Amino acid sequence: MKRIFALLGIVLALVVSGCAGLQNTSAGAGRTLDIYFLDMMGGASTLIVTPLGESVLIDTGSLEPKHRDAERMYKACMDADLTQIDYLVTTHFDTDHYGGILEMSKRIPIKHFIDNDTPPKDVRKRQSFKKLNPLYKQATKRRTKLLRAGEDIPLKNDPTGKIAAIRLHCVASQKRLEAFAGDIDAPVEGFEMAKPDTSNNAHSIALVLTYGDFKFFAGGDITLNVEHHLAHPVNRIGKVDLYQVTHHGLDRSNNTILLKALSPTVAVAMNGPRKGIQPRTFAALNALPSLKAIYQIHYNTQYGEKGNPPPQFIANKDNPTKGQYIKAAVNPKQGSFTVQIGPDGKKRRFTIQ
Ligand SMILES: [Zn+2]
């Protein structure tokens, strides 16, 4: 009997020490805020994992080829030790941003679904929407919430205040901005505005993530006129440390006025081999005095050095099917963040502005 009690004692001690280990992890002691930019071959998916272990997946890549993007998203979740996605955000209903959602929902539990609600009429008529919309409904079970400009995604904060404050804020959605009643496409004196954009892209959700002094902007595929009003006459976002290059680096987005207002230190482009970064955007980013590095998911086969950083900043250059992600890890206490390619890539350190 004594031996049984002794054994029970050992088991109990192991359980307690195991729980203590878990508590350390969930309390976020020494943990970074991690952002994974996933290779969706010209689509988009960004995984955010907070120091408290909460997760946000922004967009879910494409449906075809079968399961590729879902597998890549799932692998990143495994690398990040996740057992669920807390918030899944669909910035807009284009095939390269929500095609992988059903397959992803089969691989990992998803707690909350957030989107920009019904897409514009011309999109609802498209064959691709008629094909994907039922899969979206199957994945979400219609439990979706519209995210409006000015609203937050309610991430947990550390009640003791030991971990810096974290906030995920929506600055644009449905072609609307917070406290802006005007017409996004109306002429603005002194500026050449783009033609009115009635597409899905202009209606994208755009998010700002802050963690202590660190700031990250992920604007989905918003286009020039929405970007203009985010930067002018008031800089609604402020300077950012990390910039997810909007709309895969295409020139119909990435308004120079906004790029200057954001003044990012590092830009990461979710491009494809034949999709972005286009030369005007690439040149505008490189002209920013603040910019220290541009990272790209793929080598851009169209524009040579007018659309590509040096090879060490490209995640999938020689093997375009490798599916390597780019990861940023943020530590406001050290006043810096690192960026690396893949789970074992060389970490480059950048100072938080
Ligand atoms: Zn897109």
Side-chain angles (χ1 to χ4, degrees), residues 42-44 92 94 96-97 201 221 247-248 275:
H92 63 297
D94 271 352
D96 55 333
H97 290 257
N201 298 318
D221 286 358
H247 207 172
H248 321 280
K275 184 177 178 185

Side-chain angles (χ1 to χ4, degrees), residues 305-319:
E305 63 182 27
K306 288 188 175 152
N308 288 289
Q312 62 269 31
F313 295 94
I314 301 174
N316 301 283
K317 185 174 185 296
D318 300 323
N319 180 359

Side-chain angles (χ1 to χ4, degrees), residues 285-299:
L285 284 168
N286 277 302
L288 297 173
S290 61
L291 199 90
K292 297 275 189 287
I294 299 176
Y295 282 81
Q296 277 183 197
I297 285 288
H298 278 277
Y299 179 76

Side-chain angles (χ1 to χ4, degrees), residues 43 56 67 75 143 172 205 240:
V56 183
H67 305 174
K75 187 185 173 299
R143 293 177 293 123
I205 287 173
V240 304

